[in-house]
Amino acid sequence: MKEVDETLSTLQRLMRKRDLIIEFLQLIAGFAKKAAPRFELGIKDLQSSALPLGHAALGNSLTYTTHTISLRTSKLLVLSNGHGEDLIALRIIESLHNICPDLEIDVFPLVGEGKCFLDSSSASWLNLVGPRLTLPSGGFSNQSLKGLFSDLKAGLFTLVFQQWKYLRKLRSQNTLILAVGDLLPLFFAWASGAQYIFIGTPKSDYSWKSGPGRSVSDFYHSLKGSEWDPWEVLLMQSQRCWFVAVRDHLTARGLKKKKVLAIAPGNPMMDDFESFSIPLSLLQKRRLLLLCGSRMPEAKRNFIRLLSSICLCTSQKPFSILVPLGAEPLFLDLQEALLENRFKKISFHDELIGAQEIWSRGDDFVFLGRGRFTRWASWAEVGIANAGTATEQLVGLGVPVLSLPGKGPQFKSSFAIRQSRLLGGSVVPCKTSESLAERLNFLLNEESVRQSLGKIGSNRMGPAGGSIALARLISQFVELN
């Protein structure tokens, strides 16, 4: 928390200086307007270069005049672009709501329907707004032409245009935008004309500064000096962008060299995990956590392949396979794969585990539970995962992971390799089911290797506390009526 306090102190000092500069410039501008209209342009140019937080004037494309400057806001609009980003945004605004319970918060999920926000919306402390549509690719149209064409057919262009029109209405409102994700929410935040804060979730310089460093993308990133692209950095440098929060100090240092006020106050992904004692019924078994993803039909295909791979593994002890699920896939979607691997549904119930369905094959058990990830994650010895955010959270808890890339649209080989490098090899992609079974057997027999990989994953993901730290920073800009 020391770094957060120092960051808060620095921001407050800069804000006080900014207030004085703005008042001074507005005073001069008032005299100049009466004396010489041409002088007003000079004052605006001076104002652009005098703004704090390391911002520089970016030319005519990013105007920033005296009447648009506002350090305080009474309304927050949250933009997010995916299931993982939705969860990160939710953690931050839950912490912010605890600090500023009267703050008006609107949430605009740009990808999908934002189902994780429904409970909070029902509680009436946030509002789901804006046009929304679930696309066939699940938001991964940039990873395949097939996914792109499917999304275009489903109305991608119409959706983006409607979203852009909605955000342009904010130009005349005193609204602060919190953009969570990558280029899409960052661009929309900038294009709205409002002031904004950016939480950059997917990119890290670890993805190219660690590992072999021989690919074309590694060379490209080394030329840029960051995994963030130049056009993304340009939007981060905007005078309307108050600060940028990234996932680690390495990435923050790279962006600071490009005159971006970047901070790494902790990882919101690692918040809200509680430590639960492992139930006695699981202690005598090898505990695996299976993550098949949250987008159908890919999640169903992942579950089939991952479960079949586990069944190829020979272990002296029986397995307890914990399968936490989100809104999708449904239990019924997984039934076929369980039956094909000779599992039978049983009526046994253990309240300490909290599974909604239990399947068995001899002494091996599969536990299915909706919303059980935060409870079960720390119980696992090894993760078997074809997922994004959840996989990162799992290794952040010190659990090594094996993955088995498929056809996608999300979890393809390129995605898995990048994820492995991002997390320092604590996630090991496997090419075949047989390879996964072999490596699983090795990890289960080598506790020291598991601990070593787990430590790497924990270091790469960083400490918890990011949600409350960011909420505290954002609250400094809030002015309630």
Side-chain angles (χ1 to χ4, degrees):
M1 299 303 292
K2 181 179 179 182
E3 180 182 349
V4 176
D5 292 335
E6 291 175 353
T7 304
L8 272 173
S9 178
T10 301
L11 280 173
Q12 289 169 345
R13 288 198 302 272
L14 289 171
M15 287 165 61
R16 285 195 293 269
K17 291 180 182 179
R18 183 177 184 171
D19 285 336
L20 293 173
I21 292 171
I22 290 169
E23 290 177 8
F24 176 71
L25 290 172
Q26 287 175 332
L27 180 64
I28 294 177
F31 288 115
K33 188 172 183 180
K34 296 178 181 178
R38 291 179 62 187
F39 184 68
E40 184 178 2
L41 293 175
I43 292 298
K44 290 179 181 178
D45 292 338
L46 284 172
Q47 179 187 347
S48 295
S49 61
L51 288 167
L53 311 184
H55 291 84
L58 296 177
N60 296 331
S61 61
L62 296 175
T63 58
Y64 202 88
T65 57
T66 54
H67 70 275
T68 64
I69 295 176
S70 174
L71 290 177
R72 295 283 178 175
T73 182
S74 58
K75 185 176 182 180
L76 180 71
L77 174 66
V78 181
L79 305 180
S80 58
N81 67 321
H83 179 69
E85 289 81 359
D86 291 349
L87 293 173
I88 293 168
L90 180 61
R91 288 190 176 93
I92 296 170
I93 59 178
E94 281 177 340
S95 297
L96 182 60
H97 176 66
N98 291 333
I99 298 172
C100 307
D102 296 326
L103 176 64
E104 183 179 352
I105 301 176
D106 291 342
V107 177
F108 187 178
L110 300 174
V111 175
E113 310 243 346
K115 293 180 181 179
C116 73
F117 298 110
L118 292 177
D119 288 342
S120 301
S121 179
S122 300
S124 300
W125 63 266
L126 68 78
N127 306 305
L128 276 169
V129 300
R132 302 186 298 278
L133 178 67
T134 299
L135 297 170
S137 73
F140 289 91
S141 56
N142 62 327
Q143 296 197 21
S144 71
L145 285 175
K146 182 180 179 181
L148 176 60
F149 287 135
S150 298
D151 286 355
L152 290 173
K153 187 176 180 181
L156 174 61
F157 274 147
T158 303
L159 174 65
V160 171
F161 180 68
Q162 290 174 343
Q163 291 174 335
W164 180 79
K165 282 203 307 181
Y166 178 86
L167 289 168
R168 291 292 291 177
K169 296 177 183 178
L170 299 175
R171 180 177 288 274
S172 60
Q173 302 177 18
N174 184 30
T175 299
L176 171 65
I177 293 179
L178 175 64
V180 183
D182 51 22
L183 176 60
L184 181 63
L186 175 60
F187 173 76
F188 272 155
W190 172 80
S192 72
Q195 299 176 69
Y196 56 95
I197 294 167
F198 179 54
I199 314 296
T201 59
K203 294 188 177 184
S204 168
D205 288 347
Y206 277 121
S207 66
W208 62 275
K209 284 194 173 182
S210 63
R214 297 173 182 171
S215 68
V216 175
S217 62
D218 292 336
F219 179 69
Y220 172 57
H221 296 322
S222 66
L223 287 177
K224 296 183 299 176
S226 173
E227 192 183 6
W228 293 100
D229 291 313
W231 44 90
E232 294 170 319
V233 173
L234 184 69
L235 300 179
M236 295 179 201
Q237 292 171 334
S238 168
Q239 300 152 354
R240 288 183 284 110
C241 182
W242 289 352
F243 67 85
V244 173
V246 291
R247 56 189 297 153
D248 52 65
H249 295 288
L250 179 68
T251 308
R253 284 198 298 269
L255 288 174
K256 286 176 182 176
K257 293 177 182 178
K258 299 179 180 297
K259 308 302 181 184
V260 173
L261 179 63
I263 59 173
N267 197 333
M269 294 186 198
M270 300 312 302
D271 293 344
D272 296 336
F273 282 94
E274 300 180 37
S275 180
F276 295 94
S277 298
I278 302 174
L280 293 176
S281 58
L282 298 181
L283 282 175
Q284 302 303 316
K285 299 176 182 290
R286 305 318 302 251
R287 300 177 304 280
L288 308 178
L289 193 83
L290 191 157
L291 298 171
C292 59
S294 59
R295 294 177 176 86
M296 289 290 287
E298 183 180 5
K300 181 179 178 179
R301 295 195 299 267
N302 287 337
F303 180 80
I304 293 171
R305 298 175 68 234
L306 295 176
L307 180 64
S308 299
S309 301
I310 294 172
C311 291
L312 294 176
C313 182
T314 57
S315 174
Q316 294 179 349
K317 290 184 179 180
F319 287 118
S320 284
I321 306 171
L322 302 161
V323 187
L325 301 171
E328 290 184 319
L330 304 175
F331 294 150
L332 187 62
D333 295 325
L334 309 182
Q335 180 175 300
E336 182 181 349
L338 288 162
L339 292 172
E340 286 182 358
N341 285 280
R342 304 192 307 279
F343 282 90
K344 296 180 181 179
K345 188 176 179 180
I346 61 175
S347 57
F348 171 76
H349 182 68
D350 189 329
E351 291 185 0
L352 294 177
I353 298 176
Q356 282 98 32
E357 284 192 12
I358 301 177
W359 295 68
S360 70
R361 187 185 70 174
D363 292 329
D364 295 331
F365 286 85
V366 174
F367 299 90
L368 305 180
R370 202 166 302 285
R372 292 292 186 267
F373 177 66
T374 56
R375 183 182 184 90
W376 290 352
S378 61
W379 294 351
E381 296 175 275
V382 179
I384 310 297
N386 279 12
T389 301
T391 299
E392 296 180 32
Q393 291 171 316
L394 189 58
V395 300
L397 294 172
V399 180
V401 170
L402 300 174
S403 66
L404 186 63
K407 296 180 180 179
Q410 177 190 10
F411 208 86
K412 301 192 295 184
S413 179
S414 56
F415 184 98
I417 292 171
R418 181 190 174 278
Q419 183 185 69
S420 178
R421 294 185 61 180
L422 173 66
L423 299 170
S426 56
V427 179
V428 182
C430 305
K431 293 184 178 181
T432 64
S433 295
E434 292 76 14
S435 174
L436 189 149
E438 182 179 345
R439 290 177 177 176
L440 174 58
N441 194 55
F442 172 77
L443 285 177
L444 291 174
N445 292 328
E446 297 292 339
E447 184 178 0
S448 62
V449 177
R450 295 202 306 271
Q451 291 178 346
S452 177
L453 291 175
K455 186 175 181 180
I456 292 172
S458 297
N459 290 337
R460 285 294 174 92
M461 286 301 292
S467 299
I468 184 64
L470 288 167
R472 288 178 61 192
L473 286 171
I474 295 168
S475 69
Q476 303 301 305
F477 302 100
V478 170
E479 183 175 61
L480 301 177
N481 296 324

